[in-house]
Amino acid sequence: MIKLVLTDMDGTFLNRSGEFNKQLYQDVKKIMKKQGVVFAPVTGKQCERVEELFGNEAADLWILGDSATRIKHNGEFVYESLLSNKLGLEIIQLLEEIHLDQTIIACTRSGAVIKDTADTDIVRRSYAEVRQVCDFNEITEDFVKITVYDSKLRSFETKEKLTRFFKSAYIVASEAAWIDIANVNVHKGTTVEHLQKLLNVTPAETMAFGDGYNDLELMLRAEFSFAVRNAVPELKDAANYITGYNDDDAVMKTIIHLLSLQKNG
């Protein structure tokens, strides 16, 4: 019996415009509530940005945000794993040496931090709390995560230049334009495992959806693991099932279908 539904956001639950069918979500929510199923976005987006996207519906969610380094429920953080300030600044320094034209988003408990020269448009899509600095060394807090956006699509190459940090941080290029950096051994898989323990839910009772390389570990935490049709080939190989496209509301349609079968089973 499915008790927990997990979904990546960008490229999976959200369409190419970064939106979702709110009317259809009402139908999904009604079915989940009736069956006691928990819904949890698992995303690189800031928790507060997920709350913005869902509006009044956010209170019921378990949000695994900021690249799954934090869990937020009913406005309260119930879990987080931080990257030390010293290590984070060392990584940022190397990133700036590699490419000056990347957008580095340094996330702390108080919000996302970017350079005052950065284009804020791309940042605002995923982050609600954003401030700008002249120098990242102004940051004295530990880091929730560090994200890099590269419009020139060099992220896979950049990741390989960060090898000296592979043992001290979790580093993944989710696609050619994005890199996420978190505390060592902290990713969607480990944080979902933590949530499953909190909720007393097993992988056999879990459904998950994803599309990118940063969803590979997520697939391992759910027996009902789905790659959307637009997912990268490696994720399709890792998932137990393949569903439709994100632009066709495939996640919500699949949830409705499977929970309807569960109801009638």
Side-chain angles (χ1 to χ4, degrees):
M1 183 173 180
I2 296 166
K3 297 181 180 179
L4 173 63
V5 175
L6 308 157
T7 182
D8 172 57
M9 294 294 284
D10 290 304
T12 304
F13 184 79
L14 301 178
N15 61 29
R16 70 182 67 190
S17 299
E19 300 171 348
F20 65 97
N21 185 329
K22 292 181 172 59
Q23 186 173 352
L24 183 59
Y25 180 71
Q26 290 301 316
D27 296 335
V28 173
K29 183 179 178 183
K30 188 180 298 183
I31 293 171
M32 290 191 296
K33 185 174 182 180
K34 190 171 183 178
Q35 296 192 24
V37 176
V38 172
F39 186 64
V42 187
T43 176
K45 291 185 181 298
Q46 195 177 55
C47 292
E48 291 78 7
R49 178 62 181 135
V50 177
E51 290 172 328
E52 280 187 351
L53 284 168
F54 281 89
N56 293 332
E57 311 293 342
D60 297 328
L61 303 176
W62 288 81
I63 302 172
L64 283 64
D66 299 282
S67 298
T69 60
R70 312 176 95 185
I71 300 177
K72 192 174 188 181
H73 180 60
N74 284 328
E76 300 291 333
F77 287 102
V78 297
Y79 167 81
E80 66 179 6
S81 183
L82 304 180
L83 193 68
S84 74
N85 178 266
K86 180 177 182 295
L87 177 58
L89 290 177
E90 288 176 2
I91 294 171
I92 289 172
Q93 181 180 347
L94 180 54
L95 285 167
E96 290 190 308
E97 290 172 2
I98 293 170
H99 296 301
L100 280 173
D101 55 349
Q102 299 174 115
T103 299
I104 299 172
I105 308 165
C107 301
T108 69
R109 282 172 167 161
S110 57
V113 183
I114 57 175
K115 281 283 193 72
D116 52 14
T117 54
D119 180 359
T120 59
D121 288 344
I122 191 70
V123 180
R124 295 286 180 185
R125 295 176 196 171
S126 295
Y127 302 89
E129 304 292 333
V130 182
R131 68 183 177 94
Q132 295 180 286
V133 295
C134 294
D135 190 321
F136 283 115
N137 285 307
E138 295 177 33
I139 301 171
T140 57
E141 299 174 82
D142 288 337
F143 295 92
V144 172
K145 68 159 183 172
I146 299 165
T147 291
V148 183
Y149 171 69
D150 187 349
S151 61
K152 295 184 179 178
L153 309 180
R154 299 166 295 190
S155 291
F156 296 114
E157 294 88 343
T158 298
K159 177 193 169 183
E160 295 311 311
K161 296 177 181 179
L162 300 172
T163 51
R164 66 173 155 147
F165 296 111
F166 282 2
K167 291 184 179 180
S168 54
Y170 174 76
I171 303 174
V172 59
S174 57
E175 55 182 273
W178 292 96
I179 295 175
D180 285 320
I181 303 168
N183 197 12
V184 64
N185 295 324
V186 175
H187 47 67
K188 291 185 178 184
T190 54
T191 305
V192 165
E193 183 178 8
H194 185 84
L195 177 65
Q196 288 170 325
K197 289 177 180 177
L198 280 177
L199 301 177
N200 194 27
V201 173
T202 68
E205 299 167 321
T206 303
M207 186 183 340
F209 299 87
D211 77 307
Y213 295 103
N214 59 339
D215 296 317
L216 288 168
E217 293 92 348
L218 175 60
M219 298 294 100
L220 298 176
R221 297 305 309 169
E223 287 193 12
F224 296 92
S225 57
F226 289 84
V228 288
R229 186 71 58 181
N230 49 286
V232 297
E234 289 85 349
L235 194 79
K236 290 178 180 177
D237 291 340
N240 289 329
Y241 308 97
I242 297 175
T243 187
Y245 292 96
N246 66 315
D247 282 339
D248 296 330
D249 304 318
V251 170
M252 288 189 282
K253 290 176 180 176
T254 304
I255 294 170
I256 290 173
H257 178 66
L258 287 189
L259 293 189
S260 296
L261 291 175
Q262 178 168 283
K263 176 184 176 183
N264 297 327

